[in-house]
Amino acid sequence: MAGHGKVYRSGDSPPTSSFYDQGKFGRLFGNLPPFAADTPSKRAALKELGKQGGLMDAMDQLTAHPRDLITDANLSLNNSDNPDMPAGMTFLGQFLDHDLTLDITSSLEQQVDPELIQNFRTPAFELDSVYGQGPQGSPALYDQSIDDGRTTFLVEAIPGSPAQCRDGSQKFDLPRNSQGTPIMGDPRNDENMVLSQLHVAMLRFHNAMVAKVKAHTGSTNTHEIFTEAQRLVRWHYQWIIVHEFLPKTIGQAMVDDILENGRKFYKWRNAPYIPVEFSVSAYRFGHSQIRSSYRVNFGPVSTGEVFALLFNDNLAVSPIAFDMRGGTRAADRFIDWQTFFDFGSPPPRNNKRIDSKLSSVLFDLPGMPGGEPQSLAGRNLLRHLTFKLPSGQRVAKAMKEEPLTPAELADLAPLHLDDSTPLWFYILKEAELRADGKRLGPVGGRIVGEVFIGVLQGDAMSYLRQEPDWTPTLGSNDQFTIADLLNAAGVVTAL
């Protein structure tokens, strides 16, 4: 994956192309200065902005029952609904991120050069986080009892789950070793229950495509069966990105403009790369969409719905039976997808709006190494110093967008961050003020849209390159949604 080329750095008027190393990070706006010097006082200001109980904390009433945090708006006054986006889009976005980037070497304490950081994911929506190195390179991911392990993913039944499920169906989990560690292409996809169950859905969707290819072609060539099933999975997955996820996230007009008029800022000569303006700032908008609690599943008729906090670092003193972190298998630890995506009826729960507030559970993350911040907001903000990221205002000007004014960022004035604002916070505030929190604004939307569409256009095997006029063979009326994928995977409970 790694190469030895020089990473291109663009300025306010970037050249049309240059060389990028696949498997590396780089910069969109390399000629822009950092938003601030990495000094103790600036670190203190960022920690103050991102602290528990600080300006970015939505101050949810976490002592309430997780169900009430959803149904009683007075308990989450700063987490208003986004009427245009179901709750599952946050987790689909997290899954997409894990398909594009993996940085396991940078630090919150030391400044880093993105040119020298290895990206352990390929910058393409090819599902390497799911497929690993394929049946030969990652045999532990594949079911050795079917086709000698050459076509089909291994999944494992959750013991006791039919008794905990509204329709009595069997639910499935990731394969795990004797210590509960998941056997998968990217262990980050076991960070929370929704994400791990989405990964299971992708495994089962592939297996369904294997069965479809076998039935349609009658082939017994396992390599051909696997390759065609993988192509179907990838292309339908990529269709969802272009036709569902991006329109909801950046707006259909922005998607159309990038597809029809081309990318203005995200360019390369030989292969795509991942800009740190995207990975460290713009694409972390999803942290603002997360709610403190969710309805996990509908449960059996006898006991009713199951609710939980996304994270709860105080389980020993909490009346909550469990939280939604991953790493554990139990009979009731599965997701009923009607809460998270639109299947018609019942209606899904909404995401929260994209704004400068984060749900309170994200300010007390469990499992952080000793001495490191437990606040997700604080961690995100400190990375702006270590990666020497430019301010939101300078990026807006480089993109020829009207910057937010100091008055619109007046809450940051006491921290002296109102005239040179960390890009992540700026993008959240821009969405709040320019798009009513329903989608990203012009700066954040352009960065996310160009990178997403750019990596698809840079992938010689994507449908946008191979067959740009292709339409899904599944779904209906030449359309295919994440709800269609979950149905095809056989993971949706009948209600």
Side-chain angles (χ1 to χ4, degrees):
M1 290 169 55
H4 302 283
K6 183 177 180 180
V7 173
Y8 159 67
R9 295 170 179 265
S10 68
D12 290 5
S13 300
T16 57
S17 66
S18 189
F19 176 80
Y20 292 102
D21 282 333
Q22 189 169 355
K24 292 288 187 181
F25 292 89
R27 297 186 189 274
L28 286 177
F29 305 102
N31 291 339
L32 297 182
F35 86 97
D38 189 350
T39 63
S41 62
K42 192 59 64 176
R43 282 183 169 260
L46 295 178
K47 289 179 181 179
E48 180 69 19
L49 175 59
K51 73 177 184 179
Q52 187 176 37
L55 183 63
M56 297 190 72
D57 189 343
M59 304 300 290
D60 302 314
Q61 302 294 313
L62 297 184
T63 55
H65 192 281
R67 176 193 59 244
D68 298 331
L69 283 170
I70 297 171
T71 59
D72 186 350
N74 291 322
L75 299 176
S76 299
L77 290 174
N78 294 313
N79 272 344
S80 57
D81 279 356
N82 180 350
D84 297 343
M85 192 178 294
M89 284 295 162
T90 297
F91 300 96
L92 176 58
Q94 188 179 14
F95 182 90
L96 299 178
D97 174 57
H98 292 176
D99 196 22
L100 280 185
T101 67
L102 175 57
D103 167 20
I104 60 175
T105 60
S106 65
S107 165
L108 293 177
E109 297 299 326
Q110 296 178 341
Q111 293 191 348
V112 292
D113 185 344
E115 298 180 25
L116 303 179
I117 296 175
Q118 180 72 47
N119 179 14
F120 288 86
R121 292 270 77 84
T122 54
F125 289 114
E126 61 181 4
L127 291 171
D128 60 336
S129 59
V130 174
Y131 286 102
Q133 299 300 312
Q136 290 186 316
S138 303
L141 304 181
Y142 296 85
D143 192 335
Q144 302 302 309
S145 69
I146 302 174
D147 299 327
D148 296 321
R150 296 175 181 173
T151 63
T152 303
F153 281 117
L154 179 65
V155 295
E156 294 178 348
I158 300 176
S161 60
Q164 300 299 319
C165 183
R166 185 62 57 97
D167 66 355
S169 61
Q170 178 66 61
K171 298 301 180 182
F172 295 86
D173 186 23
L174 304 164
R176 300 180 184 275
N177 68 15
S178 60
Q179 295 181 325
T181 302
I183 303 170
M184 59 196 308
D186 190 327
R188 295 175 301 168
N189 281 353
D190 195 31
E191 286 178 357
N192 61 69
M193 288 174 60
V194 186
L195 191 57
S196 68
Q197 287 282 286
L198 187 57
H199 193 102
V200 169
M202 294 302 301
L203 302 179
R204 287 176 55 84
F205 181 55
H206 169 88
N207 293 351
M209 293 304 99
V210 168
K212 182 179 178 67
V213 170
K214 287 180 176 180
H216 180 70
T217 66
S219 175
T220 58
N221 184 311
T222 54
H223 176 73
E224 291 180 356
I225 291 167
F226 176 83
T227 300
E228 176 60 11
Q230 185 183 56
R231 182 191 69 83
L232 286 170
V233 170
R234 284 175 170 168
W235 283 20
H236 283 84
Y237 162 71
Q238 292 166 1
W239 177 273
I240 289 170
I241 293 170
V242 175
H243 294 274
E244 185 176 16
F245 181 81
L246 277 181
K248 288 184 178 297
T249 299
I250 69 175
Q252 188 65 56
M254 180 76 79
V255 175
D256 293 342
D257 180 67
I258 296 170
L259 287 171
E260 294 169 10
N261 300 314
R263 291 169 275 111
K264 298 178 180 179
F265 306 101
Y266 179 54
K267 300 176 184 291
W268 65 88
R269 179 176 295 161
N270 290 341
Y273 72 111
I274 297 299
V276 288
E277 295 91 341
F278 168 86
S279 62
V280 178
S281 294
Y283 201 63
R284 298 192 181 217
F285 76 90
H287 296 161
S288 172
Q289 295 177 309
I290 295 171
R291 293 198 174 281
S292 282
S293 65
Y294 294 90
R295 179 174 57 194
V296 175
N297 58 58
F298 293 96
V301 174
S302 58
T303 59
E305 300 169 322
V306 177
F307 295 83
L309 293 176
L310 180 66
F311 298 123
N312 182 0
D313 201 28
N314 299 293
L315 284 173
V317 297
S318 172
I320 311 305
F322 66 84
D323 67 6
M324 294 172 63
R325 78 184 78 178
T328 302
R329 180 184 295 166
D332 56 354
R333 293 182 68 85
F334 61 87
I335 296 298
D336 274 339
W337 292 109
Q338 290 91 336
T339 288
F340 294 90
F341 295 108
D342 188 2
F343 293 85
S345 180
R349 296 288 181 180
N350 294 318
N351 252 339
K352 72 171 287 289
R353 294 181 191 244
I354 306 170
D355 56 28
S356 56
K357 301 291 186 183
L358 271 62
S359 292
S360 295
V361 294
L362 300 178
F363 292 84
D364 191 22
L365 297 177
M368 288 296 102
E372 288 202 7
Q374 285 188 273
S375 163
L376 181 59
R379 298 175 69 85
N380 287 347
L381 291 165
L382 288 173
R383 288 190 183 278
H384 284 62
L385 290 177
T386 58
F387 280 90
K388 301 181 182 179
L389 285 171
S391 69
Q393 291 89 340
R394 286 187 181 272
V395 171
K397 290 177 182 177
M399 298 176 74
K400 296 181 170 54
E401 298 289 348
E402 187 66 30
L404 299 179
T405 66
E408 290 174 312
L409 295 163
D411 288 347
L412 299 181
L415 301 173
H416 306 291
L417 295 170
D418 54 325
D419 58 353
S420 185
T421 304
L423 183 58
W424 175 62
F425 185 94
Y426 181 97
I427 285 170
L428 296 183
K429 198 68 176 180
E430 178 193 61
E432 177 183 333
L433 297 176
R434 300 287 190 264
D436 198 24
K438 295 179 180 179
R439 55 176 172 76
L440 288 170
V443 171
R446 173 68 62 176
I447 293 173
V448 170
E450 288 201 6
V451 172
F452 267 50
I453 292 171
V455 297
L456 286 168
Q457 292 173 334
D459 177 6
M461 303 305 293
S462 76
Y463 90 86
L464 279 182
R465 281 282 297 277
Q466 290 268 313
E467 197 175 334
D469 295 328
W470 174 83
T471 54
T473 56
L474 304 173
S476 58
N477 300 319
D478 293 333
Q479 295 297 317
F480 187 76
T481 67
I482 185 63
D484 292 323
L485 186 151
L486 294 167
N487 272 322
V491 298
V492 181
T493 300
L495 299 179

